[in-house]
Amino acid sequence: MKFIYRNDKTKSLHWEFCEKNHTPFIELSIINHKFTNIFYDISNYHISLEEISDDIKKLYLAYIEFCMLSDPIIEDSYNQYYFFNLIVKSEHANFLAEKLYDYLLFRLSN
């Protein structure tokens, strides 16, 4: 399993699995009927958080531009010091969370 929803009863088990296996922890939380937040945590790994955060932000901004999204809730997310939360259209959330997991796992293994 590459991600988990915030209200899932097995969230703590998923967290422990990710920690034990050195994989990214990704959690989805529904904001409203339109948007879902994707949170990822790789803070326990030996990787430059600034570098990965900047890379994720670039990818995220390309997604926002490509999907022509504009909403104050999204624009507020641009000010994160570490870019660990991505607000996406709910219908894209599962796909993007899976791809984010693959990308982070690749970056962690290099």
Side-chain angles (χ1 to χ4, degrees):
M1 185 161 40
K2 295 182 177 183
F3 61 88
I4 197 154
Y5 277 87
R6 171 177 263 165
N7 60 352
D8 192 304
K9 293 177 181 158
T10 63
K11 185 171 107 173
S12 62
L13 292 174
H14 182 69
W15 171 264
E16 290 171 14
F17 175 84
C18 292
E19 287 292 305
K20 180 180 177 186
N21 293 289
H22 304 288
T23 59
F25 175 78
I26 298 178
E27 176 186 84
L28 278 62
S29 56
I30 297 169
I31 296 171
N32 57 34
H33 70 283
K34 191 174 179 182
F35 295 112
T36 297
N37 185 68
I38 301 174
F39 166 78
Y40 69 94
D41 186 354
I42 55 169
S43 57
N44 290 336
Y45 304 99
H46 299 291
I47 189 168
S48 168
L49 295 179
E50 291 85 5
E51 182 180 325
I52 197 77
S53 175
D54 289 345
D55 292 346
I56 296 296
K57 186 173 185 177
K58 288 176 195 171
L59 293 170
Y60 179 69
L61 292 175
Y63 162 77
I64 295 301
E65 183 178 347
F66 183 77
C67 291
M68 298 173 282
L69 298 178
S70 176
D71 193 284
I73 196 168
I74 292 172
E75 293 162 10
D76 288 344
S77 73
Y78 298 159
N79 298 324
Q80 302 173 68
Y81 183 75
Y82 290 124
F83 210 77
F84 288 167
N85 290 282
L86 297 81
I87 298 172
V88 301
K89 291 183 78 167
S90 292
E91 63 262 26
H92 301 157
N94 289 3
F95 174 78
L96 291 173
E98 286 187 17
K99 294 304 173 190
L100 177 62
Y101 177 91
D102 294 341
Y103 178 79
L104 293 171
L105 192 61
F106 172 77
R107 293 292 303 272
L108 290 171
S109 65
N110 287 331

